[in-house]
Amino acid sequence: MSSVASSWISLQQDPKAIDSLHTLATNRHALSSISTSQVFTLLQVLQHLWQDQAMTAAQRTSAFSQTYHLLARWAHIQRSAAKGSTDQSQLQEAVTGALQLLQSHWCTAHLSAACILFLGAATHGLATEQREAVAHAACSAIRVHKAELSQSSHVTELAAGLANIMISLQFQGSLVHWMLAIVLSLWSPNDQASLKQQPHGVTSIYTAASDLVRQITPLYSMMRHVGSAMLQTRTDCPKAAMQMTQLISDATNSGHWQEGMTGVLAAGGLLDGLARGTAALPPSSPPLQALCHLLTQACSASQAAIDQAKQAVHNSEADAQSHDILSELGGWYVWRDAAAFACCQTWQACRLPPASGSAVICLMSCLWTSCLTLTGLFQAPALGLSTEQGNVWLRNQCSSRLLQEAATMARIAAELYRLVDSQAQQVCRDLLQKGARELYEGYRAYALKTPLPWMQDIDAAAVRQVLDKAFMSGVLLMTAFWSVTAATDHKRGPADKTSSTKATASLAAGPTITAVGQATTEPGGAVSARPHANAAAAGGSMIEEHASRAKQQGNSSLVAAELLDSMSYLQFCRMKLTAYNTLLKNVLTSVSTSAEATQLLMDKLPAYSDLVATPNAASAHADASQSGRQQAAWSSDTILATRVMLLMNALGACLPALPQGDAALQAAPMMFLYLQHPQKPVSAAAHSLFCAVLKRSDKKEELIPFYMKRALEAYPSCTHISGLSAGVDAAMRELPSGSPVVLLTLHSLADHASALLSASGGMKKNPEAGLDLIRLLAQMLLVIEFQFLPDAMSNVGAVVLECPSTDVQLSACNCVHEVLMTSDDYTRKVRCAQWYQHLAADCAEAKPEPALAGDDFENLSLTRDANPLL
């Protein structure tokens, strides 16, 4: 026997079986039918609850609420059944009891919501007079418990019950309008204090506002239900809809954010309901046009109010005054988010209101400041909150309706972006960049300053969930932005575009991400790495502020540079997405064809002073190997490194677009810093950038010595041999003929190789790294100018002969032999072969057995077929 069946039997035998009642109420949505005898049992439970004086108030309230939830389920089932199947006597008894309960002095807000839910479901079987009595009782209960209901979790039940009551009245008379007015004023200024309870700044104020958004979204569903029913039950639907629209408009334009947020949700729900189905009103009808105008106006007015409140916060000095302004700012955020939610839902349902700059800007603002934010978590350690409090905030954020709608909001913003003018498009790109930057800066500060034990106790999966949505939303939006830009550029005429496929491929591959809280050796995993009043006019002015920039950014290459900068801020939370790789390839291709776009991207590089500054990291992040010393940001900040790596790789592919000269030197300071970065993918990007800078610069002989110094200082701990080989190869190709820097480079490599092989000069012995340098020196012999060849061979030979053991000498000779075998330069092969014979002989004299067999020396000739060396 199932638990539900046994609970019915237990409740029939004993109306005091509260546990059985709780089980039934918990599983009520799974009940496909409730029999007459079971309804009779529920009515007996109600009688017992009225008479039992031994129960506490909390127990009685809970039991009443659960009983009326079950009765509401029964009424809903009967409503879907054939007409006349409802037992009127039982229905009348249950309704009478609910009305009495609403009027009792000990009825709570929780119980009122349950009763109204039941009465709404039961009104289909009542006469007109009884329906009006139910409406009066519901309105009276709302007015009595207004403060509690506005901050409770029962708004969904309340909204569903009120919608059914309004529908049962056939939208006639002033009673319906009175009910709607009471709902719209449920969060009136005099009774709303939830935003005045947080003393810790704008983001904490907004956290309370975000919770309020979650509570009031059921109003949208309520009005959608009303609108759909209005189409089916009224022949003069446009007139009734217009009357409701006017009432909603009066509330929305009252000047208070509380009525504004409820009004805009009611407007959105009503628009959704009236525009659905085969009987939907046409978009040109007065009610729909008025509702669309109301939503668009709310988008621009709320954003303007936020901008004005932010300016007031910036200008405020007194703490008390500042706190009041912060509370007001949180309210405007709620209005803006409610407007964005309503626009998102209506556009998804019926593609209304028509695309406008104010609507897409409202969506973008809400997406990046409300949906995809972790500000509450970032601020929790600084405010002295516990990890449990941080996890509570994180769970609330992950379960919020706004975060659940983030993907839909991003998709609709991308659709609307294609339909608005260039000025609004520029604002959208700026909002995306600002949102990505704030998320990056917030996580960067959080990773540096938060003690490691505190971070380890935070739910890493929840953090990853928000960051994943942020990255995917960013890629979706940037792909839409670029497709519009590319299409516009194509209409202007084809352009000759070239790019480095190799560089693009390396960028597309990039580092991988690990789960938050796990260790990683690549900077792509930096998420887990631990380093340590006229609304229209106001909305128009916001767009006009970016008008000149929109004209300047008309070039697709400049837009591509902007998008690359935005992408760099999201590198720390990067995921493996094919769309991201395609987007990166396209924007990089565009930037690499324009000197102006490349210069714009170079201007986005972090300031050198910020890179060398010591971050104010928590003591728990100090590296034990540093004996408590704090490292500079460029070496210790892995979040910063993810951004810098993308910019360096991108510039390496795009610098050929710059004219020959000193323009490329702007990137040199950062490049030299990151040559010694402990993350090898980052240092490899610095080596790649050096090759590109060297090719475009006229100060080659000044750059190469400093490059060799910085690179060899960190070899082999940070500098990888592949990056060093690329840098040396670029130096040999770019240096002018006869430059003494060639010998300086060779001597630097020889000295460092000798130190690694013999553990001299304070270096730790590292034969493998030293042999890699021997190979690099041998490769230099194949490209060095003839006038420097004798000195070069002498230096390489000296390094080999100075090896501390014959085994290392043999290995070094083999390294030289392997490199010489690859040469096709017959003009210098004879000389190199003769030198190698003498070197091998010298090594053999120092060792009983020769480095190579005698036959190997005899077979050396100028013919490749005769000897593999040739």
Side-chain angles (χ1 to χ4, degrees):
M1 182 182 298
S2 66
S3 60
V4 173
S6 61
S7 296
W8 278 120
I9 295 174
S10 176
L11 198 61
Q12 288 171 351
Q13 295 174 351
D14 182 11
K16 300 179 181 180
I18 303 301
D19 292 339
S20 299
L21 181 64
H22 176 72
T23 301
L24 292 171
T26 302
N27 297 279
R28 65 185 182 277
H29 295 294
L31 299 177
S32 59
S33 63
I34 299 179
S35 65
T36 303
S37 62
Q38 291 170 340
V39 175
F40 179 76
T41 299
L42 294 176
L43 294 177
Q44 284 185 320
V45 171
L46 290 177
Q47 292 178 359
H48 165 72
L49 293 175
W50 277 105
Q51 298 170 0
D52 191 349
Q53 301 297 323
M55 299 180 67
T56 65
Q59 291 175 334
R60 179 179 295 184
T61 298
S62 177
F64 264 124
S65 177
Q66 292 169 358
T67 305
Y68 278 111
H69 282 151
L70 286 168
L71 289 173
R73 178 62 182 168
W74 165 68
H76 177 76
I77 294 172
Q78 295 300 314
R79 190 171 190 170
S80 304
K83 185 175 181 180
S85 61
T86 304
D87 189 322
Q88 289 296 316
S89 61
Q90 289 184 332
L91 181 64
Q92 292 291 340
E93 183 178 352
V95 169
T96 301
L99 291 176
Q100 290 177 353
L101 188 57
L102 281 178
Q103 297 171 5
S104 64
H105 65 279
W106 51 269
C107 183
T108 64
H110 174 76
L111 193 50
S112 296
C115 288
I116 292 175
L117 175 66
F118 162 69
L119 291 172
T123 50
H124 73 286
L126 301 180
T128 302
E129 295 79 6
Q130 289 179 304
R131 294 175 181 176
E132 292 179 354
V134 166
H136 280 286
C139 291
S140 299
I142 293 175
R143 295 184 66 181
V144 172
H145 303 289
K146 182 177 181 181
E148 294 84 358
L149 285 173
S150 65
Q151 301 179 42
S152 72
S153 58
H154 307 291
V155 178
T156 301
E157 299 174 358
L158 185 67
L162 291 175
N164 287 326
I165 295 173
M166 293 173 66
I167 293 171
S168 70
L169 295 175
Q170 300 288 306
F171 313 102
Q172 296 177 358
S174 58
L175 185 55
V176 173
H177 297 162
W178 183 44
M179 292 184 63
L180 181 58
I182 287 179
V183 173
L184 294 178
S185 63
L186 191 58
W187 289 267
S188 65
N190 294 331
D191 295 323
Q192 180 53 251
S194 63
L195 297 179
K196 298 182 180 181
Q197 299 171 357
Q198 303 285 341
H200 299 304
V202 176
T203 52
S204 295
I205 291 293
Y206 179 71
T207 300
S210 181
D211 293 338
L212 186 55
V213 171
R214 176 169 48 189
Q215 293 178 15
I216 64 176
T217 48
L219 298 183
Y220 182 95
S221 301
M222 181 188 85
M223 293 308 297
R224 180 180 61 193
H225 190 190
V226 169
S228 299
M230 190 179 293
L231 293 174
Q232 301 171 8
T233 58
R234 290 280 293 176
T235 56
D236 57 342
C237 174
K239 180 180 178 181
M242 199 64 199
Q243 292 174 345
M244 278 196 174
T245 302
Q246 185 59 50
L247 184 63
I248 294 172
S249 178
D250 293 341
T252 306
N253 297 325
S254 64
H256 299 291
W257 64 263
Q258 292 91 341
E259 280 92 354
M261 67 177 183
T262 54
V264 73
L265 286 173
L270 187 59
L271 174 62
D272 190 348
L274 293 174
R276 281 176 179 265
T278 56
L281 297 179
S284 58
S285 63
L288 263 59
Q289 287 188 338
L291 290 169
C292 289
H293 175 71
L294 196 154
L295 287 178
T296 304
Q297 186 183 40
C299 290
S300 57
S302 59
Q303 192 62 49
I306 290 174
D307 295 338
Q308 185 177 0
K310 284 183 176 179
Q311 187 62 39
V313 170
H314 179 73
N315 296 335
S316 64
E317 296 180 358
D319 291 342
Q321 179 185 5
S322 176
H323 180 61
D324 291 339
I325 297 174
L326 287 173
S327 300
E328 184 179 5
L329 176 60
W332 298 130
Y333 271 123
V334 178
W335 187 16
R336 191 275 314 279
D337 292 348
F341 176 83
C343 286
C344 177
Q345 297 298 311
T346 55
W347 179 265
Q348 183 176 227
C350 52
R351 301 187 71 81
L352 291 174
S356 64
S358 59
V360 69
I361 291 171
C362 182
L363 285 172
M364 289 292 296
S365 299
C366 177
L367 182 65
W368 289 103
T369 61
S370 303
C371 304
L372 306 174
T373 181
L374 287 170
T375 308
L377 176 65
F378 297 159
Q379 287 194 347
L383 297 174
L385 302 182
S386 65
T387 54
E388 179 59 31
Q389 290 172 305
N391 281 320
V392 168
W393 184 93
L394 196 55
R395 286 194 294 268
N396 289 338
Q397 175 68 359
C398 291
S399 63
S400 68
R401 184 66 183 272
L402 290 177
L403 184 63
Q404 294 170 4
E405 295 292 335
T408 302
M409 200 171 291
R411 176 178 58 81
I412 292 175
E415 293 179 12
L416 294 175
Y417 179 88
R418 305 172 188 272
L419 305 175
V420 297
D421 57 35
S422 60
Q423 296 177 11
Q425 290 176 350
Q426 179 62 55
V427 178
C428 289
R429 294 196 297 270
D430 290 344
L431 288 172
L432 168 62
Q433 186 180 68
K434 179 183 177 183
R437 182 176 65 250
E438 290 179 348
L439 184 63
Y440 155 84
E441 291 175 347
Y443 193 89
R444 180 187 172 197
Y446 170 73
L448 284 171
K449 299 178 181 180
T450 306
L452 181 58
W454 201 96
M455 276 190 74
Q456 290 176 334
D457 290 338
I458 293 298
D459 187 352
V463 175
R464 184 75 259 180
Q465 178 184 349
V466 178
L467 294 179
D468 284 350
K469 287 195 175 186
F471 184 79
M472 289 187 290
S473 298
V475 171
L476 173 62
L477 290 167
M478 287 186 282
T479 300
F481 295 173
W482 175 246
S483 64
V484 172
T485 303
T488 304
D489 189 59
H490 179 72
K491 292 179 182 178
R492 294 172 181 166
D496 182 20
K497 301 180 180 179
T498 59
S499 65
S500 171
T501 305
K502 182 177 180 181
T504 302
S506 66
L507 278 172
T512 58
I513 294 295
T514 60
V516 184
Q518 297 178 358
T520 177
T521 58
E522 293 189 10
V527 168
S528 55
R530 289 296 319 200
H532 348 103
N534 187 326
S541 63
M542 181 180 180
I543 298 179
E544 290 171 4
E545 180 181 341
H546 299 264
S548 59
R549 288 194 58 213
K551 294 179 181 179
Q552 295 174 358
Q553 301 295 333
N555 189 322
S556 61
S557 297
L558 298 181
V559 175
E562 280 189 342
L563 295 179
L564 264 176
D565 184 43
S566 299
M567 294 169 74
S568 71
Y569 286 118
L570 295 176
Q571 283 301 294
F572 78 96
C573 58
R574 178 183 167 184
M575 301 170 60
K576 292 182 179 180
L577 293 178
T578 303
Y580 168 81
N581 297 335
T582 303
L583 172 66
L584 183 58
K585 177 181 178 180
N586 291 336
V587 297
L588 185 59
T589 300
S590 180
V591 175
S592 65
T593 62
S594 169
E596 187 180 2
T598 302
Q599 184 60 52
L600 176 62
L601 185 62
M602 192 175 294
D603 293 338
K604 303 293 185 179
L605 294 175
Y608 184 80
S609 58
D610 294 337
L611 296 176
V612 298
T614 301
N616 184 22
S619 59
H621 296 258
D623 190 346
S625 64
Q626 298 297 320
S627 300
R629 291 185 294 109
Q630 289 185 350
Q631 296 175 302
W634 69 268
S635 63
S636 61
D637 189 346
T638 57
I639 309 298
L640 174 64
T642 59
R643 177 170 185 256
V644 170
M645 186 175 68
L646 178 67
L647 293 176
M648 287 194 298
N649 279 327
L651 284 173
C654 299
L655 280 182
L658 290 178
Q660 189 73 25
D662 295 335
L665 292 180
Q666 183 178 343
M670 181 190 71
M671 168 191 74
F672 285 131
L673 277 180
Y674 280 92
L675 285 174
Q676 296 186 2
H677 195 275
Q679 300 279 359
K680 289 187 176 181
V682 183
S683 63
H687 286 283
S688 177
L689 180 57
F690 167 76
C691 298
V693 170
L694 190 64
K695 186 174 183 179
R696 307 310 300 171
S697 175
D698 293 332
K699 296 183 177 180
K700 297 176 173 59
E701 293 181 301
E702 290 85 349
L703 291 174
I704 293 174
F706 192 66
Y707 166 77
M708 295 302 301
K709 179 178 182 297
R710 289 284 297 176
L712 290 176
E713 283 177 351
Y715 180 82
S717 59
C718 298
T719 302
H720 195 266
I721 188 62
S722 60
L724 182 60
S725 299
V728 171
D729 180 65
M732 294 299 99
R733 285 186 285 103
E734 298 299 332
L735 280 171
S737 177
S739 173
V741 177
V742 174
L743 286 179
L744 178 62
T745 301
L746 186 139
H747 290 167
S748 299
L749 288 170
D751 292 343
H752 205 76
S754 179
L756 288 171
L757 292 171
S758 60
S760 62
M763 297 287 294
K764 291 183 179 180
K765 189 174 181 180
N766 192 333
E768 290 297 329
L771 292 175
D772 286 337
L773 291 184
I774 293 294
R775 292 188 183 91
L776 182 55
L777 286 166
Q779 290 170 357
M780 290 184 65
L781 297 179
L782 302 178
V783 297
I784 201 170
E785 296 180 57
F786 271 98
Q787 60 178 321
F788 298 133
L789 187 56
D791 189 58
M793 292 188 296
S794 175
N795 273 275
V796 176
V799 173
V800 174
L801 293 173
E802 290 174 1
C803 291
S805 66
T806 54
D807 290 338
V808 177
Q809 281 186 350
L810 177 61
S811 298
C813 283
N814 287 336
C815 291
V816 174
H817 183 263
E818 291 171 2
V819 173
L820 294 180
M821 286 176 57
T822 64
S823 175
D824 289 327
D825 186 354
Y826 293 98
T827 59
R828 69 176 67 204
K829 177 157 291 191
V830 174
R831 195 165 184 178
C832 289
Q834 291 174 348
W835 164 78
Y836 178 72
Q837 284 180 328
H838 290 294
L839 177 62
D842 291 340
C843 290
E845 292 176 0
K847 185 178 184 294
E849 59 273 6
L852 294 175
D855 293 340
D856 292 333
F857 297 125
E858 294 173 1
N859 292 334
L860 287 176
S861 70
L862 295 179
T863 306
R864 178 185 290 273
D865 295 336
N867 191 295
L869 176 62
L870 303 173

